[in-house]
Amino acid sequence: MKNGLEDVIAAETQLSDVDGEAGRLVIRGVSLDELVSTATHERTAALLLDGLTERHFGPAELGPWLGETRERLFAHLATLDSVVLGLPPVDAMRALIARLPDGDDFEAALRLLAAPAIFLPAMVRLQAGKKPVMPDGSLSQAADILRMLTGELPSTEQTAALDAYLVTISDHGLNASTFAARVIASTGAGLTSSVLAAISALKGPLHGGAPGPVLDMLEAIGTAANAREWLSQALDRGDRLMGFGHRIYRVRDPRADALKQALRPLISAAQVDRERIVLAEAVEHAALAILRERKPNRPLDVNVEFYTALLLDALGFPRESFTGVFAIGRTVGWIAHAREQALEGRLIRPRSVYVGPLPQAA
Ligand code: ACO
């Protein structure tokens, strides 16, 4: 028995490979570096889903189909009630997705790729007292998400930065949410059920919920000079430093560098708070030094969530919506894994060891 199923191999996949020792991520035969410098969200979706549904397609076809689907699904916002409106954005998005029909065909996959891209920006706007912005199916998904969020056409740099984020987080081996998606798919349930389970796995701060707390941490630290003392006190209290550490990576998470790189054009175009970036780098250096001193036997490095926080904040997403943006990008990975598991056709059903009391004689 291994607590947390650490190092247990529970699936064969052609979708992604995480090499935790070398700090490498490969997505369907393409290294993350190459993918993030050449691909859009649509291209990555086409790469991951190819051959896993009944329809064959490329990125050129997927873009317009996704656009049409966004326009069609916008009407679902009419089903919003005050209960859903009062939920945190990711929970509201989950509630709206739960109202979509289940299914395991290409149409179901398309709906699930388009739905969170509309629902999240709409929820953010509604909760800020603004009207949702209708989708524009002629735009790429990344550009349209930003337009639906702010009401304005994004700059090329902003669209590229969101594309880089969505590509970077599209798939990552058998993480908690993907495993949840595969378990549900193995029962023969449809893609909507799998995606709902996966979104639910993002609720905790240990997987997917860390970028908001990263920003809280940076704000609490305030200045570079304060970093070391603040971080030491946090560790003295037994807190974990958000944005650091990973179950698989024993070196730097390659996605952190991809996102740091994606921030550069925004910095050059003065579309990001430069001081915050300087502070973040100082905090990163201080945290790595302290973690090395305090946990010499456990290599702890920066993970994807640290620069996610800075990137999404720079693009205008409020921090309570960060987990929802992660879900928009990761949905393609969840769908691909759910389909891969369904095609394998074997129910996931491990065993447990009973350590409770033995039955008493009457
Ligand atoms: N800060 C301080 N100490 C840490 C951290 C951290 N961020 N991460 C791990 N450690 C320490 C633990 O306290 C433990 O120390 P101990 O052996 O002295 O008790 C040791 O490192 C090993 O910790 P585990 O819990 O075994 O590591 P695990 O592989 O389960 O944790 C995890 C991975 C959950 C990501 C962890 O590093 C963490 O909590 N990080 C902070 C939250 C975070 O950034 N989450 C986002 C992850 S990326 C993603 O989900 C997309």
Side-chain angles (χ1 to χ4, degrees):
M1 211 282 288
K2 289 216 172 186
N3 269 332
L5 301 183
E6 200 157 349
D7 294 328
V8 171
I9 294 172
E12 255 185 5
T13 182
Q14 300 193 9
L15 298 169
S16 59
D17 181 36
V18 183
D19 183 337
E21 299 298 328
R24 261 200 310 267
L25 169 61
V26 171
I27 295 180
R28 269 208 142 168
V30 186
S31 75
L32 176 66
D33 290 351
E34 191 187 334
L35 195 64
V36 84
S37 61
T38 53
T40 57
H41 174 59
E42 284 80 356
R43 270 185 188 281
T44 310
L47 178 73
L48 276 166
L49 294 178
D50 185 37
L52 292 172
T53 69
E54 75 286 3
R55 193 150 345 153
H56 286 282
F57 59 90
E61 293 146 310
L62 188 61
W65 288 341
L66 270 178
E68 275 166 35
T69 313
R70 282 197 305 278
E71 288 180 346
R72 190 158 36 83
L73 291 182
F74 187 71
H76 279 249
L77 289 173
T79 66
L80 268 173
D81 54 48
S82 59
V83 175
V84 176
L85 260 176
L87 296 172
V90 68
D91 293 2
M93 187 174 101
R94 183 176 55 182
L96 285 166
I97 291 174
R99 296 173 185 184
L100 296 177
D102 216 343
D104 56 9
D105 57 358
F106 178 73
E107 269 304 313
L110 207 53
R111 269 196 306 272
L112 288 162
L113 284 178
I118 314 162
F119 294 159
L120 188 75
M123 284 311 304
V124 168
R125 287 183 72 85
L126 284 165
Q127 291 182 344
K130 298 177 190 161
K131 272 182 141 179
V133 174
M134 279 182 69
D136 176 348
S138 69
L139 295 176
S140 72
Q141 184 123 306
D144 210 16
I145 291 168
L146 291 171
R147 196 186 128 276
M148 288 187 279
L149 180 75
T150 64
E152 286 167 21
L153 261 187
S155 67
T156 317
E157 291 86 4
Q158 287 167 327
T159 303
L162 183 58
D163 256 326
Y165 174 70
L166 298 174
V167 170
T168 299
I169 56 126
S170 57
D171 197 39
H172 201 242
L174 213 53
N175 55 82
S177 56
T178 301
F179 187 50
R182 285 190 83 119
V183 170
I184 302 298
S186 82
T187 68
L191 291 171
T192 306
S193 303
S194 285
V195 166
L196 287 170
I199 295 176
S200 303
L202 295 182
K203 281 289 290 190
L206 301 189
H207 173 51
V214 168
L215 274 195
D216 296 340
M217 174 177 77
L218 291 178
E219 278 169 14
I221 292 174
T223 63
N226 197 25
R228 199 178 158 89
E229 197 189 334
W230 192 97
L231 294 166
S232 297
Q233 285 174 0
L235 289 174
D236 289 344
R237 285 194 302 270
D239 291 354
R240 288 186 172 206
L241 304 182
M242 290 293 135
F244 295 88
H246 199 273
R247 173 63 63 83
I248 307 284
Y249 291 118
R250 291 293 164 262
V251 292
R252 205 174 160 80
D253 182 335
R255 298 170 300 171
D257 286 331
L259 297 184
K260 199 171 178 181
Q261 190 72 23
L263 268 164
R264 294 228 161 93
L266 292 179
I267 298 172
S268 311
Q271 286 165 350
V272 60
D273 178 356
R274 225 175 247 271
E275 276 181 27
R276 179 167 270 177
I277 304 288
V278 172
L279 172 65
E281 284 179 337
V283 170
E284 181 189 344
H285 289 134
L288 293 179
I290 298 175
L291 287 169
R292 263 194 294 275
E293 290 160 23
R294 302 258 187 136
K295 308 272 175 196
N297 301 323
R298 171 76 174 192
L300 292 168
D301 215 315
V302 69
N303 67 41
V304 65
E305 307 286 45
F306 194 76
Y307 284 99
T308 291
L310 296 166
L311 188 88
L312 297 186
D313 180 55
L315 291 175
F317 290 99
R319 70 192 68 183
E320 62 278 9
S321 72
F322 288 175
T323 307
V325 192
F326 181 86
I328 296 176
R330 184 53 66 82
T331 300
V332 62
W334 294 331
I335 293 171
H337 276 272
R339 286 298 305 145
E340 197 179 49
Q341 184 67 43
L343 290 170
E344 184 201 293
R346 187 87 182 141
L347 175 71
I348 296 177
R349 204 310 185 185
R351 292 177 54 186
S352 48
V353 179
Y354 180 67
V355 294
L358 294 173
Q360 303 290 315

